């Protein structure tokens, strides 16, 4: 039996999947948002303590900034997670998505994105909680 050509395999991809070509760059989107939030939060606190409040000053102004960063990051990660869930729940296949078909690859990328988004969501909450429990720059 002869292997099918790439052209024949492409013809099997449903039109819906062809219209939404997968990009592997959505997988690291949520961790990248977490990393940006982490850097922005700690750089803001460092600058606040060094230039504005002093060593023993209060973090009040920096808290509001970090809260804003946290809200934006959580919203962005939720959007990435919803994108991943929609791709994971495409069609009516069951888990695990381990067949070598375009639809299962589509679902697997969505599932991976969803799991990383959930992990990143929790990580952003933990970074944001630091300013809740830390009252001064000390």
């Amino acid at each position: 039996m002869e292997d099918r050509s790439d052209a024949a395999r492409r013809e099997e991809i449903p039109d819906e999947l062809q219209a939404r070509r997968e990009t592997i760059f959505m997988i690291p989107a949520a961790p990248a948002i977490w990393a940006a939030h982490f850097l922005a939060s700690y750089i803001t606190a460092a600058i606040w303590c060094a230039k504005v409040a002093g060593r023993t000053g209060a973090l009040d102004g920096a808290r509001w900034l970090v809260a804003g960063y946290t809200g934006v990051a959580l919203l962005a990660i939720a959007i990435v997670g919803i994108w991943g869930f929609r791709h994971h729940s495409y069609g009516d296949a069951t888990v695990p998505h381990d067949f070598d078909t375009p639809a299962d690859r589509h679902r697997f990328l969505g599932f991976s994105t969803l799991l990383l988004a959930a992990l990143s969501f929790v990580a952003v909450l933990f970074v944001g909680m630091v300013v809740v429990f830390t009252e001064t720059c000390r």
Side-chain angles (χ1 to χ4, degrees):
M1 187 166 199
E2 209 172 286
D3 285 332
R4 293 178 284 177
S5 68
D6 288 334
R9 286 186 190 142
R10 270 190 238 119
E11 289 176 10
E12 292 177 2
I13 300 173
D15 291 337
E16 193 174 323
L17 287 181
Q18 281 184 355
R20 297 191 276 166
R21 288 307 258 173
E22 288 308 312
T23 176
I24 201 152
F25 296 112
M26 282 303 286
I27 291 176
I33 293 167
W34 165 76
H37 173 264
F38 182 86
L39 284 173
S41 298
Y42 279 89
I43 288 172
T44 299
I47 292 172
W48 182 268
C49 290
K51 303 289 183 184
V52 178
R55 257 188 95 122
T56 57
L59 281 174
D60 295 335
R63 280 183 170 179
W64 287 107
L65 288 171
V66 172
Y69 300 157
T70 302
V72 169
L74 291 176
L75 178 65
I77 290 172
I79 290 169
V80 171
I82 290 168
W83 183 92
F85 179 75
R86 286 184 180 167
H87 283 72
H88 166 63
S89 60
Y90 169 79
D92 58 355
T94 59
V95 177
H97 307 304
D98 56 358
F99 293 112
D100 188 23
T101 63
D104 266 2
R105 283 190 295 272
H106 181 84
R107 290 184 200 100
F108 177 75
L109 287 174
F111 189 59
S112 300
T113 303
L114 175 63
L115 291 177
L116 280 172
L119 180 65
S120 298
F121 195 91
V122 172
V124 166
L125 287 175
F126 275 106
V127 171
M129 284 175 44
V130 169
V131 294
V132 171
F133 295 112
T134 306
E135 294 179 2
T136 64
C137 292
R138 192 171 224 193

